[in-house]
Amino acid sequence: MKLPLAGQTVWLMRAAHQSAAWAELLTQAGATVIVEPLMAIEPTPDRAAAHQALARAVSADCVIATSTNAIDAAWRLRPDFAPTGRLYGVGSASAQALETAAGRAVERPEGAFTSEALLSMDSLMHVDGLDISILSGEGGRNVLVETLTARGARVEKIALYRRRWLTPSPARLHDIFTRADTAIVTSGEALAHLADLVSGPENSALRSCLERCRLVAPSTRVVKQVDQRLNWQHAPLIVERINGEAIVAALARLSTGDRQ
């Protein structure tokens, strides 16, 4: 029996330690997988500040985890971290990881796994006067801070790790772009970095080669961040509840012409 992704070549640009499970699922579905990370995850350079912020987060009314990287970094830095407030995860993976680390229930959006979906939850609509800690990396997720602050909360974003952007050689990028049918991106920052790598008139041929790929992204907001810089030949495929299983299912539906 023909596998659903047979003949497809998929590029995973996540950090290396996060790509293995997705690569296995895609391979099992018949795809050829290229793992070429565009970023690496490193500890925060200011461990003392992060440790002190986690001490404050213990008594916060709410603790929000934006990624599994943030959760891993928090418990590595403070193994006894035991927040007492309500717990939230932006996505399914972050919610599950936080539940495992904290040993109790974690709330999460029912729809898309995005900051906007989290902010639409009833329990986060009225937060005036509450202390909210956000477990995150450096940069990104400003919509959470800005929106919750506007709603009257005292918000502290705790930078627990940082991303180090990687720059494959033009020859390596050309090899990936010519082989890959699909490029999977999981954040606006990663997509912006990809656009940087192919910017400028000297990279016009490389950029055109990339634009032939089908982009898979977690939201239209992520795609719009580079609307003026990349002109995709195929409509990007939005997988809002983005995980390995959902990506395989979406690509399988696309290959059979079923977009529902």
Side-chain angles (χ1 to χ4, degrees), residues 93-107:
S94 58
Q96 184 59 55
L98 183 56
E99 202 164 81
T100 300
R104 58 191 184 88
V106 174
E107 301 176 57

Side-chain angles (χ1 to χ4, degrees), residues 61-136:
D61 297 292
C62 304
V63 173
I64 299 172
T66 64
S67 69
T68 58
N69 287 320
I71 297 160
D72 291 343
W75 264 267
R76 278 198 305 269
L77 188 60
R78 193 180 176 98
D80 62 345
F81 182 48
T84 58
R86 298 179 76 159
L87 302 178
Y88 295 86
V90 173
S92 176
S94 58
Q96 184 59 55
L98 183 56
E99 202 164 81
T100 300
R104 58 191 184 88
V106 174
E107 301 176 57
R108 68 204 79 185
E110 291 185 3
F113 293 147
T114 64
S115 296
E116 291 81 1
L118 184 79
L119 289 166
S120 69
M121 295 177 66
D122 290 342
S123 59
L124 289 176
M125 294 299 294
H126 305 287
V127 293
D128 187 28
L130 298 186
D131 290 309
I132 299 179
S133 295
I134 300 176
L135 310 182
S136 186

Side-chain angles (χ1 to χ4, degrees), residues 70-222:
I71 297 160
D72 291 343
W75 264 267
R76 278 198 305 269
L77 188 60
R78 193 180 176 98
D80 62 345
F81 182 48
T84 58
R86 298 179 76 159
L87 302 178
Y88 295 86
V90 173
S92 176
S94 58
Q96 184 59 55
L98 183 56
E99 202 164 81
T100 300
R104 58 191 184 88
V106 174
E107 301 176 57
R108 68 204 79 185
E110 291 185 3
F113 293 147
T114 64
S115 296
E116 291 81 1
L118 184 79
L119 289 166
S120 69
M121 295 177 66
D122 290 342
S123 59
L124 289 176
M125 294 299 294
H126 305 287
V127 293
D128 187 28
L130 298 186
D131 290 309
I132 299 179
S133 295
I134 300 176
L135 310 182
S136 186
E138 292 181 355
R141 300 292 182 182
N142 290 328
V143 65
L144 286 176
V145 176
E146 294 167 2
T147 304
L148 293 170
T149 300
R151 292 176 183 174
R154 293 181 293 271
V155 182
E156 182 173 24
K157 179 180 169 185
I158 307 173
L160 293 159
Y161 67 93
R162 65 179 177 181
R163 303 171 183 87
R164 177 169 59 86
W165 297 108
L166 306 177
T167 304
S169 69
R172 174 59 174 159
L173 288 174
H174 182 268
D175 175 62
I176 294 170
F177 298 165
T178 52
R179 292 169 55 202
D181 308 297
T182 301
I184 299 174
V185 66
T186 57
S187 71
E189 294 86 357
L191 185 55
H193 177 58
L194 178 59
D196 288 341
L197 293 178
V198 297
S199 65
E202 72 279 9
N203 288 318
S204 59
L206 194 59
R207 185 165 56 254
S208 295
C209 196
L210 168 64
E211 292 168 344
R212 179 193 57 79
C213 295
R214 169 86 64 181
L215 178 70
V216 175
S219 70
T220 54
R221 176 177 58 84
V222 165

Side-chain angles (χ1 to χ4, degrees), residues 26-48:
L26 288 161
T27 301
Q28 290 174 353
T32 298
V33 180
I34 301 170
V35 177
E36 181 68 41
L38 288 188
M39 70 173 181
I41 302 298
E42 298 180 339
T44 177
D46 196 343
R47 291 172 53 87

